[in-house]
């Protein structure tokens, strides 16, 4: 299975990346053979019109669920491919050799995959990345830095990254991922080659769930349709009973906002559900992290013994990190609920307008039909705008309960 097989519904992007991987492979092979690169094997250049399709910095953009990080990791694997088939004319990215396999699972020594479960990526972490990028490959063909959350770089971190992207080491490649070009500093994106991914077709998402995850075709199709082509959410919905239960609860909300009391109760339940998600993550991760740090600092695991002097700062730093992670987990869970709510009203609008499109939430067709027949398209659009306004308020750090209460009251008013 080639590394590109998991990049769903992005034929144009995979063709560009495969061409760049071939040029990169030819460049390194020529360098190792001690000869000058042939025509078409030019050194990486930021100029898209250059002879080589390869360049030193790439920016993958696309809506959530489009597979930005998957495409970046597949490209990183192709750059490290050492398959002997390349000598027979095969393209890099076989998916089976040691270079491809270790890059895909995240254990390749020369592929650094950076993702964050915090609200932002700061200057300190970025400086560590820049230092890493200045090293020559230790055993692979390229030094590859995959930054999956480039949109979470603080302004200071972006300025630190700029110099490294502008003047990279000879065999270093930066792969940045963000929802849109506007989420990245103009000075950085102007030095990257842009690849724009689209939302994958529902059928393609269902197919990959069946092929790669062994999910029954009917369940895969239902999950892909419900998430409107979001690969990660579709997989979670098809495999996690708790995710299905939470989504079912969200889809009942439009029928529960008949009065102010119902609005406030529904808002509180949404916040509580998001908080429960954050608590689950904390129980799974925080305790282990704390015990590991305590052991590293000299305290016996599982005890409340005093830590050595001078280590309180390290414990405080970990607690702050865990608190920020909990905040992001709660916001992400709440945002996911709001996306499901938007999908519900999208179905309502489709019925009201007589659109010949399949419903994303066909399992609650009765509820969708009820709302559609008791309101108007204008009211439905206002309700969709209320959900979008709530998401924007949360992005501006408005207190979650206040933002959600304002939304549920607006849903009632229509």
């Amino acid at each position: 299975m080639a590394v590109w097989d998991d990049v769903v519904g992005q034929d144009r992007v995979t063709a560009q990346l495969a061409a760049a991987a071939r040029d990169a492979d030819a460049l390194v092979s020529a360098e190792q053979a001690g000869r000058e690169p042939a025509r078409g094997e030019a050194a990486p250049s930021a100029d898209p019109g250059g002879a080589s399709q390869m360049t030193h910095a790439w920016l993958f953009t696309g809506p959530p669920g489009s597979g930005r990080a998957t495409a970046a990791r597949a490209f990183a694997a192709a750059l490290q491919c050492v398959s002997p088939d390349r000598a027979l004319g095969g393209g890099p990215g076989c998916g089976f050799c040691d270079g491809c396999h270790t890059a895909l699972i995240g254990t390749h020594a020369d592929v650094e995959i950076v993702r964050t479960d915090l609200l932002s990526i700061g200057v300190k972490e970025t400086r560590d990345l820049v230092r890493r990028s200045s090293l020559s490959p230790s055993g692979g063909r390229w030094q590859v830095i995959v930054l999956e959350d480039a949109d979470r770089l603080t302004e200071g971190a972006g300025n630190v990254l700029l110099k490294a992207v502008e003047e990279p080491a000879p065999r270093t490649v930066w792969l940045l991922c963000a929802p849109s070009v506007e989420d990245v500093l103009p000075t950085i994106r102007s030095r990257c080659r842009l690849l724009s991914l689209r939302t994958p077709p529902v059928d393609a998402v269902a197919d990959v769930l069946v092929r790669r995850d062994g999910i029954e075709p009917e369940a895969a199709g239902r999950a892909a349709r419900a998430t409107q082509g979001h690969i990660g959410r579709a997989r979670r919905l098809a495999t996690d009973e708790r995710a299905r239960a939470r989504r079912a609860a969200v889809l009942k909300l439009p029928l529960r906002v008949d009065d102010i009391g119902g609005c406030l109760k529904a808002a509180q339940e949404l916040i509580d559900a998001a908080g429960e998600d954050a608590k689950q993550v904390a129980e799974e991760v925080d305790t282990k992290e704390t015990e590991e740090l305590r052991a590293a600092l000299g305290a016996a695991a599982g005890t409340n013994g005093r830590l050595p002097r001078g280590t309180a700062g390290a414990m405080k730093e970990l607690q702050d990190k865990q608190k920020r992670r909990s905040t992001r987990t709660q916001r992400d869970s709440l945002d996911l609920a709001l996306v499901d709510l938007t999908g519900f009203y999208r179905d309502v609008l489709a019925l009201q307008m007589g659109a010949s499109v399949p419903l994303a939430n066909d399992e609650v067709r009765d509820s969708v039909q009820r709302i559609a027949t008791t309101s108007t398209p204008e009211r439905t659009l206002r309700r969709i705008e209320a959900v979008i306004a709530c998401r924007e308020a949360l992005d501006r750090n408005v207190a979650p309960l206040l933002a959600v209460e304002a939304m549920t009251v607006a849903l009632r008013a229509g």
Side-chain angles (χ1 to χ4, degrees):
M1 182 179 72
V3 297
W4 314 113
D5 289 353
D6 285 344
V7 185
V8 181
Q10 312 291 346
D11 294 344
R12 180 182 58 81
V13 168
T14 53
Q16 287 182 265
L17 293 176
R22 286 193 296 270
D23 282 355
D25 182 63
L27 173 69
V28 176
S29 297
E31 183 179 308
Q32 291 176 341
R35 64 176 174 81
E36 291 296 321
R39 182 177 179 82
E41 297 177 9
S45 165
D47 178 13
S52 175
Q53 296 297 313
M54 183 57 186
T55 187
H56 68 280
W58 299 73
L59 176 58
F60 296 76
T61 66
S66 58
R68 302 183 302 261
T70 301
R73 288 195 297 269
F75 187 37
L79 292 176
Q80 305 292 8
C81 184
V82 292
S83 168
D85 292 344
R86 294 174 297 114
L88 303 175
C94 66
F96 295 104
C97 70
D98 183 67
C100 287
H101 178 68
T102 54
L104 288 174
I105 65 175
T107 60
H108 196 291
D110 295 315
V111 178
E112 181 76 4
I113 298 177
V114 183
R115 62 176 69 89
T116 183
D117 48 14
L118 305 179
L119 294 174
S120 62
I121 300 174
V123 171
K124 180 182 177 182
E125 299 95 321
T126 309
R127 282 178 178 155
D128 291 340
L129 280 182
V130 170
R131 281 193 290 268
R132 166 73 183 261
S133 73
S134 65
L135 302 175
S136 297
S138 61
R141 301 169 73 78
W142 296 87
Q143 181 75 253
V144 185
I145 312 292
V146 182
L147 186 54
E148 293 188 0
D149 299 292
D151 55 307
R152 295 187 182 272
L153 288 166
T154 64
E155 184 175 354
N159 290 330
V160 170
L161 180 63
L162 175 60
K163 189 69 172 176
V165 172
E166 190 173 28
E167 299 177 6
R171 299 244 307 262
T172 293
V173 181
W174 287 90
L175 308 180
L176 312 181
C177 305
S180 70
V181 293
E182 288 77 17
D183 293 311
V184 181
L185 286 177
T187 48
I188 291 179
R189 67 185 186 232
S190 66
R191 289 161 174 80
C192 299
R193 183 169 297 170
L194 176 64
L195 288 177
S196 298
L197 283 71
R198 61 172 183 152
T199 298
V202 168
D203 290 344
V205 174
D207 177 69
V208 80
L209 292 179
V210 173
R211 172 172 51 83
R212 187 174 60 186
D213 300 293
I215 297 168
E216 291 295 326
E218 184 179 348
R222 187 165 53 248
R225 187 171 58 253
T227 57
Q228 301 175 59
H230 190 301
I231 301 171
R233 287 178 55 211
R235 181 178 295 110
R236 184 183 180 194
L237 195 62
T239 58
D240 188 346
E241 181 61 37
R242 291 179 302 180
R244 291 194 290 272
R246 281 193 290 270
R247 181 171 180 275
V250 169
L251 296 181
K252 292 178 182 177
L253 186 145
L255 299 177
R256 300 176 54 204
V257 292
D258 292 334
D259 54 50
I260 294 297
C263 293
L264 300 182
K265 184 177 180 182
Q268 186 64 61
E269 289 178 0
L270 274 184
I271 296 298
D272 290 344
E276 186 61 30
D277 278 350
K279 183 180 178 182
Q280 265 182 1
V281 171
E283 289 175 349
E284 295 170 0
V285 179
D286 290 5
T287 302
K288 181 180 177 182
E289 282 183 345
T290 301
E291 291 296 343
E292 287 177 350
L293 182 58
R294 286 177 61 83
L297 295 176
T303 71
N304 291 321
R306 295 184 62 181
L307 290 166
R309 294 180 61 182
T311 59
M315 290 299 298
K316 180 66 165 57
E317 183 178 349
L318 176 62
Q319 290 166 1
D320 289 343
K321 174 185 174 183
Q322 291 172 345
K323 184 177 180 180
R324 293 194 300 271
R325 179 169 58 208
S326 177
T327 300
R328 178 180 172 184
T329 302
Q330 183 173 4
R331 288 186 182 178
D332 288 350
S333 177
L334 189 54
D335 189 67
L336 182 58
L338 297 178
V339 170
D340 287 334
L341 199 55
T342 305
F344 179 94
Y345 285 114
R346 169 262 191 196
D347 286 347
V348 171
L349 188 62
L351 287 183
Q352 290 172 330
M353 302 301 294
S356 58
V357 295
L359 298 187
N361 303 285
D362 194 58
E363 70 275 20
V364 291
R365 176 180 284 270
D366 290 345
S367 299
V368 173
Q369 185 72 53
R370 178 177 167 183
I371 299 294
T373 55
T374 57
S375 65
T376 64
E378 292 79 11
R379 293 182 68 187
T380 302
L381 285 172
R382 286 196 292 269
R383 285 166 172 157
I384 292 174
E385 289 171 353
V387 180
I388 294 172
C390 182
R391 297 181 70 189
E392 292 174 346
L394 292 171
D395 282 342
R396 297 194 299 270
N397 292 321
V398 173
L401 183 57
L402 291 178
V404 177
E405 285 178 346
M407 178 195 73
T408 55
V409 170
L411 294 180
R412 173 178 177 268

